[in-house]
Amino acid sequence: FPVTILMHAAEFGVVMMLFLIGLEINPKEFWVMRRSIIGLGGIQMALTSLVIGALCHLYFGLSHATSLSIALSISMSSTAIILQTLKEKGLNKSSAGQASFSVLLFQDIMVIPILAFLPLLAIGDVATLTTEETFISNLSPSLKTLTVLGAMAGIVVFGLFIVAPLMKIIARTRLRELFTATALFLVIGVAYLMTLVGISPALGTFLAGVVLANSSFRHELESDIEPFKGLLLGLFFIGVGSSINFSLIIERPILVFSILIVVMLVKSLVLLLAGKVFKIKNDQNLLFAFLPHLC
């Protein structure tokens, strides 16, 4: 129970981190990255899911649905841990860092269709489990799509025509506390809007950050959000460490570490192959393939 509450609060650290990353990306640069986002991310998720799913079905004898569910889950990576590690090592602007970011962003985008697809794989009593209701839960598929697109478009319009002028007005008051409160309200508001329409809050705040990347108040937003991001992200890592099932590791150490090594090897080889396809230099490709698993 305490870990659950801690993780809910700590998730805002990830949300704020994605917002700050968005502030550092020019919208034109983001558009240029579309090829690497779709290409690298698509190759990584498709091949990793295929190999892991095949291993689960052939070696462990799991059903196709169960194998696919496990494979899709394992193909994902921790955006918070990897990006924070790349930043600490000064690699976020390198070719390996940019390629890692492209893969992570694609994974964040794919969370939406995967969460919509997984219930279709459920069998028996699992299918009757209640899920968290959102604003669009009872809408038709076409209306859901329009609502999601409208929410994303609303973030762009709100950021360009409301937030930017509002920041100028607040700056004239010369009240730092008011500017900080506005920055926090912006991040929390966007995260809440994304939750209502069933989209990842981190993805929504990242988009908001990209929209405001050209704002003259970008650096003020970064300095105001950074302390809260650091604190909440620290809680996130504490929560992740607290949720580790050490009793399982003690009971079946060989199985646990064998699965861990196989997963790391598969994901590293897939990333290495994807880097070769996109002609990333050998030294950067090795960092891209192995660094996230060795940190």
Side-chain angles (χ1 to χ4, degrees):
F1 178 73
V3 175
T4 303
I5 296 177
L6 179 65
M7 290 301 292
H8 280 301
E11 284 174 2
F12 273 104
V14 180
V15 168
M16 291 179 178
M17 181 183 68
L18 266 294
F19 177 73
L20 292 177
I21 292 173
L23 284 175
E24 298 176 358
I25 297 180
N26 188 290
K28 293 181 180 179
E29 295 177 359
F30 181 67
W31 179 250
V32 171
M33 291 176 61
R34 70 189 186 281
R35 181 173 173 269
S36 63
I37 292 172
I38 298 175
L40 287 171
I43 292 174
Q44 185 273 326
M45 285 207 66
L47 291 184
T48 302
S49 299
L50 180 63
V51 174
I52 297 297
L55 288 174
C56 290
H57 179 65
L58 298 175
Y59 185 78
F60 291 100
L62 301 176
S63 65
H64 289 91
T66 304
S67 299
L68 181 57
S69 300
I70 294 174
L72 290 174
S73 301
I74 292 179
S75 67
M76 295 290 180
S77 305
S78 173
T79 301
I81 293 176
I82 295 177
L83 290 184
Q84 184 69 16
T85 302
L86 291 173
K87 183 178 180 181
E88 290 174 355
K89 296 183 180 297
L91 297 172
N92 52 335
K93 295 296 183 181
S94 64
S95 299
Q98 292 295 314
S100 299
F101 174 72
S102 297
V103 171
L104 293 170
L105 183 57
F106 182 83
Q107 291 176 358
D108 287 339
I109 295 172
M110 288 303 296
V111 166
I112 304 168
I114 287 176
L115 289 178
F117 175 69
L118 283 179
L120 300 178
L121 299 176
I123 56 176
D125 294 335
V126 179
T128 64
L129 292 175
T130 57
T131 56
E132 185 177 352
E133 290 289 326
T134 64
F135 178 74
I136 63 173
S137 296
N138 298 321
L139 299 179
S140 64
S142 58
L143 286 178
K144 286 182 180 180
T145 303
L146 290 175
T147 304
V148 169
L149 293 177
M152 304 292 278
I155 291 176
V156 176
V157 173
F158 185 76
L160 292 175
F161 299 104
I162 297 179
V163 174
L166 179 63
M167 289 295 181
K168 294 181 180 179
I169 297 174
I170 294 174
R172 295 194 190 105
T173 65
R174 300 183 182 278
L175 294 174
R176 182 62 182 269
E177 295 80 4
L178 184 59
F179 201 96
T180 302
T182 304
L184 289 174
F185 176 78
L186 172 64
V187 174
I188 294 173
V190 171
Y192 180 67
L193 173 63
M194 293 298 98
T195 302
L196 285 180
V197 297
I199 302 178
S200 167
L203 181 61
T205 51
F206 170 77
L207 176 60
V210 172
V211 171
L212 296 174
N214 290 329
S215 171
S216 57
F217 300 99
R218 186 189 72 176
H219 298 296
E220 286 83 354
L221 287 170
E222 289 178 345
S223 61
D224 286 338
I225 295 294
E226 185 67 36
F228 297 96
K229 187 264 300 186
L231 175 63
L232 293 174
L233 207 56
L235 291 176
F236 173 81
F237 292 133
I238 292 174
V240 171
S242 302
S243 62
I244 297 176
N245 188 348
F246 288 101
S247 60
L248 178 61
I249 298 175
I250 295 173
E251 291 173 4
R252 311 183 73 177
I254 297 178
L255 177 63
V256 171
F257 285 106
S258 298
I259 293 175
L260 175 63
I261 292 173
V262 170
V263 169
M264 290 173 59
L265 185 61
V266 168
K267 297 184 76 171
S268 295
L269 291 176
V270 168
L271 290 174
L272 193 64
L273 175 62
K276 286 289 186 181
V277 172
F278 277 77
K279 299 179 180 179
I280 300 176
K281 293 181 179 179
N282 289 334
D283 57 338
Q284 293 295 311
N285 197 21
L286 287 173
L287 284 174
F288 169 55
F290 294 104
L291 182 62
H293 310 300
L294 300 177
C295 298

